Amino acid sequence: MGIRERYERVRDEVADVCRQAGRAPSEVRLIAVSKTVDAEGARAAHMAGACDFGENRPDQIVLKSEALPDVRWHFIGNIQSRRIPDIVRSSTLVHSLFNISHARKIDAAAEALSKVQDVLVEVNVSGEESKGGLAPGEVADFVAACAAFEHVRVRGLMTMAPQGDLAEARKCFEGLAAIRAEVGATLDADRAACFDELSMGMSEDWQEAVYAGATMVRIGRAIFSDAFE
Ligand SMILES: *Cc1c(COP(=O)(O)O)cnc(C)c1O
């Protein structure tokens, strides 16, 4: 199988699992994480219908978003201050914000480009030391603090589950959904209405995420690696 066939297969599987979970396929956006392939690889997925792509390195999101400008680019990697202007220039949605000084710099970079940058707040639901993100108890204050930034719009939450145990992954995803609901209830009506995204689930565990309410799944290897068949 090539990228085209794998993309089509994953897209169909996501739609099937949505239906099994009692959800409409249109509720879950499939983000093709193209970090392991070049712009031509991303283009092959685009030819098969992919319109959302994820990258975790600033130089790669700059390069590929210039090669494929008519799709949505999602920044899912570690944010470094000095790369924030590049990230903001290239990204439709930044999934990995959890530092208030980064929020301030994103606000400034977005203002300079006359845009409002949509972001998700990354949450370390499982509490693993190796993972980035806020502790669950820090999310409400962080989201409230972001309201000071006119050029930053918090659209929801993102997490990564512990690897290797689907039951644990499911708990983690359900945890993120619960945090979103709790924090959403603290926001005024306008902000609550757009605080509706849950970015969770990767190649190994996206089915669990769909059942737990994901609105975006971030899938790399199942689309771009022939080792994942
Ligand atoms: C690489 C990556 C993915 C995709 O992972 P796969 O296991 O290849 O599907 C999703 N989210 C983040 C944050 C990543 O870095």
Side-chain angles (χ1 to χ4, degrees):
M1 270 202 261
I3 290 171
R4 178 185 190 106
E5 290 77 17
R6 284 195 300 267
Y7 176 78
E8 288 171 349
R9 188 178 68 171
V10 169
R11 179 199 58 203
D12 292 348
E13 286 173 358
V14 171
D16 284 345
V17 172
C18 284
R19 290 187 202 96
Q20 285 162 26
R23 306 186 60 201
S26 59
E27 292 174 40
V28 181
R29 195 180 286 272
L30 169 54
I31 300 175
V33 177
S34 50
K35 66 190 183 190
T36 58
V37 296
D38 61 11
E40 286 315 301
R43 193 183 302 282
H46 181 47
M47 300 296 270
C51 288
D52 287 270
F53 290 87
E55 287 288 335
N56 65 346
R57 295 194 183 279
D59 50 343
Q60 288 296 308
I61 201 167
V62 168
L63 195 91
K64 290 177 195 162
S65 65
E66 283 170 0
L68 276 182
D70 298 328
V71 301
R72 287 177 290 272
W73 288 92
H74 298 256
F75 188 76
I76 62 175
N78 188 34
I79 298 173
Q80 295 164 279
S81 288
R82 64 189 177 85
R83 302 309 303 270
I84 283 174
D86 287 331
I87 294 168
V88 168
R89 180 158 55 88
S90 307
S91 303
T92 305
L93 180 64
V94 175
H95 291 228
S96 42
L97 177 66
F98 57 92
N99 175 318
I100 202 72
S101 79
H102 291 164
R104 188 175 300 112
K105 288 181 175 129
I106 290 172
D107 183 54
E111 182 170 19
L113 293 168
S114 306
K115 80 183 266 199
V116 173
Q117 180 64 60
D118 280 338
V119 301
L120 303 179
V121 174
E122 183 170 350
V123 185
N124 185 354
V125 179
S126 62
E128 286 173 287
E129 295 249 333
S130 59
K131 287 203 157 64
L134 297 178
E138 298 172 329
V139 177
D141 284 350
F142 186 88
V143 172
C146 285
F149 304 124
E150 279 180 35
H151 300 269
V152 173
R153 184 166 57 172
V154 182
R155 299 299 316 274
L157 304 177
M158 179 272 226
T159 199
M160 290 172 57
Q163 298 296 289
D165 182 338
L166 291 179
E168 281 300 311
R170 178 70 164 264
K171 263 201 254 167
C172 170
F173 297 146
E174 288 173 350
L176 192 73
I179 296 163
R180 193 205 64 76
E182 275 167 34
V183 173
T186 69
L187 303 175
D188 63 44
D190 284 353
R191 283 187 210 282
C194 75
F195 186 70
D196 54 0
E197 302 285 356
L198 286 171
S199 168
M200 54 193 196
M202 315 189 347
S203 292
E204 307 270 5
D205 56 19
W206 62 263
Q207 291 90 341
E208 303 301 324
V210 168
Y211 275 91
T215 63
M216 304 180 181
V217 291
R218 310 179 307 269
I219 300 184
R221 285 169 300 149
I223 296 170
F224 292 105
S225 165
D226 54 16
F228 203 91
E229 288 171 11

